[in-house]
């Protein structure tokens, strides 16, 4: 095989892919005083883009954790709430991410809103939500998703898809539609209390705007501009 055989088709060559971001810039004077207020503004923009079919699942975020030895792992999960205290998602507490957070509570979040040339990058500390808050959210999940929280031993090895389907069918027979499904004791939420929140706005010639909020000990926030 020659080097020419390995040359990628220009259509799928990553090095040849180019897109100019022509969105308006992000200026310090336009930022909200609190990063979660600024996030709310951008999340509303992302939600509107999703409504118009431009963006898919604006609440999808990449959650990156690291184990006790510092080895990282990432996955996409759905944010299910946010407030001044941080960002909330739910998971199986026996999953890989939950086990890593038990050993190392520092976490990074990334909201990849590429169709609108924006990203939000968060670093912070994860804490479990209370059982009352977890139960309140669990009750809002569709019946099938409630059963799925029981059926899946998340991150464990399966012998086959049939094993998972059989567990789900057994639970469906035990808790038919309309019957109350108990909250799994091994399932619940994490709230990520942010320490930094970066708002990334794509600009032309790769000269992007990057404004990062950094938490201070007194509860206030500093804002710093990062080189793109």
């Amino acid at each position: 095989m020659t080097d020419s055989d390995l040359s990628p088709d220009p259509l799928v060559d990553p090095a040849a892919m180019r897109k100019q971001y022509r969105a308006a810039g992000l200026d310090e004077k336009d930022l909200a005083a609190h990063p979660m207020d600024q996030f709310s503004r951008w999340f509303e923009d992302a939600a509107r883009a999703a409504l118009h079919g431009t963006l898919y699942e604006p609440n999808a975020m990449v959650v990156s954790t690291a184990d006790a030895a510092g080895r990282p792992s990432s996955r996409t999960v759905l944010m299910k709430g946010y407030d001044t205290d941080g960002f909330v998602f739910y998971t199986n507490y026996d999953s890989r991410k939950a086990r890593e957070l038990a050993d190392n509570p520092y976490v990074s979040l990334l909201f990849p809103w590429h169709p609108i040339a924006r990203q939000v990058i968060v670093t912070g500390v994860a804490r479990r939500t209370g059982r009352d808050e977890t139960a309140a959210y669990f009750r809002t999940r569709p019946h099938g998703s409630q059963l799925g929280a029981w059926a899946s031993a998340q991150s464990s090895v399966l012998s086959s898809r049939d094993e998972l389907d059989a567990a789900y069918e057994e639970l469906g027979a035990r808790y038919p539609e309309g019957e109350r499904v108990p909250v799994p004791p091994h399932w619940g939420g994490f709230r990520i209390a942010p320490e930094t929140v970066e708002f990334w706005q794509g600009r032309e010639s790769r000269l992007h705007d990057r404004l990062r909020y950094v938490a201070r000990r007194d509860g206030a926030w500093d804002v710093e501009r990062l080189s793109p």
Side-chain angles (χ1 to χ4, degrees), residues 105-123:
Y106 294 101
V107 62
S108 175
L109 311 177
L110 168 64
F111 293 86
W113 298 328
H114 303 309
I116 58 174
R118 286 178 173 176
Q119 300 180 76
V120 179
I121 305 102
V122 179
T123 64

Side-chain angles (χ1 to χ4, degrees), residues 143-192:
H143 180 256
S145 296
Q146 292 181 355
L147 297 181
W150 279 101
S152 173
Q154 196 173 88
S155 301
S156 64
V157 177
L158 284 167
S159 60
S160 69
R161 173 74 194 199
D162 291 342
E163 179 184 348
L164 180 63
D165 291 340
Y168 182 84
E169 289 175 9
E170 180 183 341
L171 285 158
R174 189 186 312 170
Y175 302 108
E177 188 76 45
E179 186 164 334
R180 188 181 181 89
V181 180
V183 182
H186 56 272
W187 186 94
F190 283 100
R191 175 172 280 99
I192 311 305

Side-chain angles (χ1 to χ4, degrees), residues 3-223:
D3 289 344
S4 60
D5 295 327
L6 297 176
S7 299
D9 184 318
L11 182 65
V12 295
D13 180 4
M17 294 177 180
R18 297 283 187 274
K19 181 174 178 59
Q20 284 287 1
Y21 300 119
R22 304 188 185 280
L26 181 62
D27 196 279
E28 288 86 340
K29 70 178 187 301
D30 298 324
L31 291 179
H34 196 284
M36 298 308 294
D37 292 330
Q38 182 64 33
F39 177 83
S40 184
R41 294 177 185 177
W42 272 27
F43 187 69
E44 289 175 8
D45 291 343
R48 279 192 290 269
L51 185 64
H52 296 147
T54 306
L55 192 153
Y56 185 67
E57 289 196 308
N59 60 325
M61 59 185 184
V62 178
V63 177
S64 297
T65 56
D67 63 18
R71 291 169 295 199
S73 63
S74 299
R75 74 289 293 159
T76 301
V77 305
L78 297 179
M79 177 188 69
K80 287 301 179 179
Y82 68 92
D83 53 27
T84 55
D85 294 325
F87 305 84
V88 177
F89 70 90
Y90 293 87
T91 189
N92 187 312
Y93 284 145
D94 294 325
S95 65
R96 177 177 179 176
K97 59 183 167 298
R99 286 185 280 108
E100 290 185 348
L101 288 173
D103 289 334
N104 178 1
Y106 294 101
V107 62
S108 175
L109 311 177
L110 168 64
F111 293 86
W113 298 328
H114 303 309
I116 58 174
R118 286 178 173 176
Q119 300 180 76
V120 179
I121 305 102
V122 179
T123 64
V125 179
R127 297 286 184 270
R128 290 189 181 191
T129 59
R131 293 308 292 174
D132 289 345
E133 183 176 356
T134 290
Y137 168 70
F138 187 80
R139 299 292 170 224
T140 71
R141 287 165 65 93
H143 180 256
S145 296
Q146 292 181 355
L147 297 181
W150 279 101
S152 173
Q154 196 173 88
S155 301
S156 64
V157 177
L158 284 167
S159 60
S160 69
R161 173 74 194 199
D162 291 342
E163 179 184 348
L164 180 63
D165 291 340
Y168 182 84
E169 289 175 9
E170 180 183 341
L171 285 158
R174 189 186 312 170
Y175 302 108
E177 188 76 45
E179 186 164 334
R180 188 181 181 89
V181 180
V183 182
H186 56 272
W187 186 94
F190 283 100
R191 175 172 280 99
I192 311 305
E195 295 182 336
T196 69
V197 185
E198 178 186 334
F199 293 86
W200 182 102
Q201 176 68 71
R203 299 291 301 276
E204 288 190 75
S205 302
R206 298 296 186 260
L207 298 177
H208 313 306
D209 286 324
R210 298 176 60 190
L211 297 181
R212 181 172 63 186
Y213 291 79
V214 180
R216 296 193 333 216
R217 291 183 179 274
D218 62 3
W221 295 83
D222 292 323
V223 174

